[in-house]
Amino acid sequence: MSLLTGKTALITGATSGIGKSCAYTFASEGANLILAARRIELLEEIKSDIEKEYSVKVILIQLDVRKRKDVESAIAALPGEWKAIDILINNAGLARGLNKINEGNIEHWEEMIDTNIKGLLYVTRMVTPLMVSRGSGHIVNIGSIAGHEVYPSGNVYCASKFAVNALTQGMRMDLVDKNIKVTTIDPGMVLTEFSKVRFSGDGAKADKVFEGMHPLSPDDIADAVLFCVSRKANVNINEIIIMPTAQASSSIKYVKK
């Protein structure tokens, strides 16, 4: 039997990067999937691909996690059997800009706070009561090394990931008597759309971030998530900080000349 046979997982930010890799990894282990993201056409492609390859069920939610009413409506509208969510992966998140605090773009700040903190809270607030009512569940928050170590010009993004770290710890305390596990996976440099989004679509600038080094892949993070959610019932992995071998901290990396 596969590791997640019969389980249902809700993954936010499922159209690219870590979220997409988690979708395929979980499907390969037998999980049924609720995939949520803004780009419905990409969700439909992923659903079609997964259902051709694996014997699992997939449903889609076109969702911007920043919109509280939409989150509430989407989760409330799930068919009864799909409300039995075993695993929630709060993956939706982003960085915008890399500016000193006195030069920061306030719209970028608001987008990061609304997505990385408030969006995570909106989804969690809707899903945790379903888990509590069933007496089991596992919440996995995708954080960042930036939630442990601030780096220059990372100010608001780092603050948002520090918040994810604090919220994860708080969730674990609040849900300890409910048989609900809570984990944070905190990666260093991962080759995704992250840097391209941060630099507003500037591919050359984004590529330069990884120049001369071998970063993590989204599949590396999905493997770590799978490890956490497939432990025995009495085992909870609180936190994994996962970095490329060539990265020592949030701001120190080895670049081959």
Side-chain angles (χ1 to χ4, degrees):
M1 182 180 291
S2 299
L3 291 173
L4 301 180
T5 298
K7 301 284 188 181
T8 296
L10 166 58
I11 305 171
T12 66
T15 51
S16 65
I18 294 168
K20 182 177 178 180
S21 283
C22 284
Y24 280 89
T25 297
F26 276 40
S28 72
E29 293 294 343
N32 296 316
L33 303 173
I34 305 168
L35 303 182
R38 291 176 294 176
R39 296 176 289 183
I40 190 65
E41 69 284 352
L42 294 181
L43 284 177
E44 289 170 347
E45 290 176 11
I46 293 167
K47 171 182 164 71
S48 176
D49 195 34
I50 285 175
E51 289 182 335
K52 286 176 185 174
E53 184 72 20
Y54 306 107
S55 299
V56 299
K57 298 176 183 177
V58 183
I59 65 170
L60 307 178
I61 304 175
Q62 184 174 20
L63 185 65
D64 184 339
V65 297
R66 297 174 297 175
K67 298 179 179 179
R68 179 168 64 90
K69 294 297 184 184
D70 290 354
V71 172
E72 292 171 350
S73 298
I75 302 302
L78 286 172
E81 68 273 18
W82 286 97
K83 287 182 178 175
I85 297 168
D86 300 287
I87 302 162
L88 166 62
I89 302 177
N90 279 315
N91 169 70
L94 52 75
R96 287 287 191 192
L98 191 65
N99 304 100
K100 293 178 183 290
I101 198 76
N102 56 302
E103 300 169 344
N105 181 315
I106 292 176
E107 290 183 359
H108 287 173
W109 294 356
E110 290 177 342
E111 187 176 6
M112 288 185 281
I113 291 167
D114 288 348
T115 306
N116 299 354
I117 304 174
K118 292 165 68 178
L120 179 148
L121 284 169
Y122 296 157
V123 176
T124 303
R125 180 61 182 84
M126 289 302 295
V127 173
T128 47
L130 303 176
M131 292 179 170
V132 169
S133 69
R134 296 175 61 241
S136 67
H138 197 152
I139 300 165
V140 180
N141 295 326
I142 304 299
S144 170
I145 186 59
H148 298 266
E149 305 171 2
V150 178
Y151 54 81
S153 298
N155 43 70
V156 175
Y157 174 71
C158 293
S160 75
K161 289 303 185 178
F162 266 76
V164 171
N165 193 17
L167 287 168
T168 302
Q169 294 176 39
M171 290 177 196
R172 196 177 300 120
M173 294 174 186
D174 293 342
L175 299 169
V176 69
D177 62 339
K178 306 300 184 187
N179 194 39
I180 295 172
K181 301 181 183 186
V182 185
T183 297
T184 179
I185 307 291
D186 298 335
M189 299 174 73
V190 186
L191 187 57
T192 67
E193 292 181 349
F194 178 89
S195 289
K196 193 171 183 180
V197 170
R198 161 166 268 172
F199 297 123
S200 301
D202 188 333
K205 200 169 183 180
D207 291 343
K208 198 164 184 62
V209 172
F210 303 106
E211 196 171 75
M213 70 167 299
H214 188 182
L216 299 170
S217 73
D219 287 347
D220 294 326
I221 310 307
D223 286 344
V225 176
L226 177 62
F227 175 80
C228 292
V229 301
S230 59
R231 297 306 89 201
K232 295 186 298 181
N234 68 314
V235 176
N236 182 62
I237 308 299
N238 287 4
E239 171 185 287
I240 292 181
I241 298 176
I242 179 169
M243 310 271 272
T245 304
Q247 184 180 11
S249 73
S250 64
S251 57
I252 297 173
K253 63 181 180 180
Y254 171 66
V255 178
K256 291 182 180 179
K257 304 298 184 184

